[in-house]
Amino acid sequence: MVTSVDSNIYLVFDIDDTMYDLMAPFKKSHDHLFAGRVNADTTELFKKSRIYSDIILEREKNGEIPSTDSFHERLRMTYQDVGLKITREESALFEAEYRYYQTKIEMFDFMRDVLDYCKEARLPIAVLTNGSYKGQWKKTEALNLQSWFSPEQIFISGEIGYHKPDVRAFQAVSERMHFLPEQTWYVGDTYESDIIGASQAGWHTIWLNHRMRACPEENCIADKEIHEGIFLLPLIKTLL
């Protein structure tokens, strides 16, 4: 039984690769379609796809690329780096499989423990995620986020109009949730969009670096960095 606490912090969570294994749908699609055609480490391919996803999302937001081309461009750039040319037809097949496997996603056990604790302790929490409203909302349903969050606590960039790392995305959460920036902690896996964006908005940050990515900056600005999800709940408890 968790005792309700008087919280001096607010917690905001990313979804993709923070709450569930985003690599699993990618790996299943890659193994089926391209594994026999390219000798590349799947983990490194996935990391590249995440980087290119953020780049393409920014270009899409700026009107430089139509949304109908975004997935193909992300995939094309990812596999181009390992010498494989992807056709439109192939990227369409990959996307279809990828979207299917995304409906089968399951929340990390450690994240379920964290959210259960937050709910029982009545901690103020929210979600902030990049992506289209339709696509990300499907993920919230697949992960059953409604067990911990009301619709008003879930912020999707495609709905609010600002994409991480734009500070206005984080400010939208602060304003609607009445979260004081200096007392807000953001939990995310991507340094460029999660850690940098939240820090620029005046929030504190927990970098869930379970992919063991090297920090792209000489001096890492994350307030806390953990490499395994099992350390997240103990860390949150120390912050209270």
Side-chain angles (χ1 to χ4, degrees), residues 51 86 99 107 176 186 207 212 231:
I51 294 171
I86 302 297
R99 299 301 182 199
M107 182 174 288
R176 295 191 198 177
Y186 189 66
W207 186 16
M212 300 296 290
F231 298 120

Side-chain angles (χ1 to χ4, degrees), residues 218-229:
E218 183 176 352
N219 296 311
C220 179
I221 62 173
D223 292 285
K224 304 290 183 179
E225 178 181 349
I226 56 176
H227 295 154
E228 293 184 52

Side-chain angles (χ1 to χ4, degrees), residues 160-224:
I160 62 179
Y162 304 112
H163 300 262
K164 301 178 298 181
D166 191 325
V167 294
R168 291 173 293 183
F170 300 90
Q171 289 168 347
V173 178
S174 293
E175 291 169 5
R176 295 191 198 177
M177 296 297 298
H178 304 290
F179 285 180
L180 297 175
E182 63 272 17
Q183 292 179 218
T184 304
W185 285 78
Y186 189 66
V187 181
D189 69 291
T190 306
Y191 188 87
E192 293 84 350
S193 61
D194 296 335
I195 305 307
I196 292 178
S199 296
Q200 290 178 341
W203 294 11
H204 296 288
T205 57
I206 299 174
W207 186 16
L208 179 56
N209 187 16
H210 59 104
R211 301 292 177 193
M212 300 296 290
R213 289 183 57 197
C215 183
E217 299 183 311
E218 183 176 352
N219 296 311
C220 179
I221 62 173
D223 292 285
K224 304 290 183 179

